[in-house]
Amino acid sequence: MEKLSISFDLYTYESLVKLPLEDQSLLQKAIKSRNKAYAPYSSFKVGAAVLLENGEVVLGNNQENASYPSGLCAERVAVFQAGACFPGIAIKAIAISAASELYILNKPAAPCGNCRQSIAEYEHKQKSPIRILMMGSTGPVYKINSLADILPLGFESSYLK
Ligand code: THU
């Protein structure tokens, strides 16, 4: 038996203003988008901003539904919109901002498993890493340099050949 360990680098910044300017600007866009989220059932609003290699920024936010599973997370709204409008253009980074209307969220909210899988599809297809930035409504920012870091041993297209 052999035991393998998997680790990844998590970069933490004590606040938004400590980030490099490009990342600060992307996160600001995610915050603006978060404020337009449709989250009447959870009161948990999430905004996502996708930076493409051509400089375009595509926004998304969570869209809830009275039939709960029919809603969609901010990250998937944003990456699917990017894939629909800019097919073949690589994604450089995704900023995610989350906030609750019920309490102060002072730590980053990481993308859910379904969103990780969806973003991983694009990362795998484009063969270059997607940087992920996450923040709550206040507090620190987390950065990871590749989505694959938070979805180790992921399922991808090579299994289907
Ligand atoms: N949500 C997101 O938009 N992104 C995530 O990664 C986690 C959860 C949304 C879905 C739902 O509208 C609300 O947050 C509460 O789960």
Side-chain angles (χ1 to χ4, degrees), residues 42 44 46 62 64 72-75 110-112 115:
S42 70
F44 192 84
V46 185
N62 51 330
E64 297 189 345
L72 199 63
C73 293
E75 295 91 325
C112 77
C115 289

Side-chain angles (χ1 to χ4, degrees), residues 37-48 61-65 68 71-77 96-99 109-116:
Y38 177 61
Y41 304 106
S42 70
S43 299
F44 192 84
K45 293 186 164 188
V46 185
N61 45 45
N62 51 330
Q63 297 294 315
E64 297 189 345
N65 193 284
Y68 290 7
L72 199 63
C73 293
E75 295 91 325
R76 276 176 287 162
V77 170
I96 304 159
S97 166
C112 77
N114 279 316
C115 289
R116 292 178 199 204

Side-chain angles (χ1 to χ4, degrees), residues 9 24 30 36 41 43 45 56 67-70 74 77 92 99 101 114-117 129 131 138 141 144 150 160:
D9 295 325
Q24 257 184 65
K36 297 180 189 163
Y41 304 106
S43 299
K45 293 186 164 188
E56 292 278 350
S67 173
Y68 290 7
S70 298
V77 170
K92 278 176 71 180
E101 289 172 335
N114 279 316
C115 289
R116 292 178 199 204
Q117 182 69 26
R131 183 165 83 252
T138 184
V141 178
I144 52 165
I150 54 169
L160 299 176

Side-chain angles (χ1 to χ4, degrees), residues 11-16 18-20 23 133 139-143:
Y11 299 86
T12 68
Y13 298 82
E14 69 182 47
S15 71
L16 179 71
K18 302 283 184 184
L19 285 172
D23 287 348
L133 303 156
V141 178
Y142 289 173
K143 183 185 82 172

Side-chain angles (χ1 to χ4, degrees), residues 19-120:
L19 285 172
L21 285 180
E22 183 185 59
D23 287 348
Q24 257 184 65
S25 151
L26 194 64
L27 206 35
Q28 293 285 13
K29 290 182 173 115
I31 292 167
K32 266 190 156 175
S33 184
R34 182 190 85 204
N35 292 325
K36 297 180 189 163
Y38 177 61
Y41 304 106
S42 70
S43 299
F44 192 84
K45 293 186 164 188
V46 185
V50 172
L51 174 65
L52 301 179
E53 73 178 355
N54 65 0
E56 292 278 350
V57 174
V58 179
L59 303 177
N61 45 45
N62 51 330
Q63 297 294 315
E64 297 189 345
N65 193 284
S67 173
Y68 290 7
S70 298
L72 199 63
C73 293
E75 295 91 325
R76 276 176 287 162
V77 170
V79 292
F80 291 162
Q81 173 77 350
C85 295
F86 299 97
I89 309 291
I91 297 173
K92 278 176 71 180
I94 304 177
I96 304 159
S97 166
S100 171
E101 289 172 335
L102 308 177
Y103 70 98
I104 294 170
L105 180 61
N106 60 6
K107 62 177 185 184
C112 77
N114 279 316
C115 289
R116 292 178 199 204
Q117 182 69 26
S118 295
I119 299 166

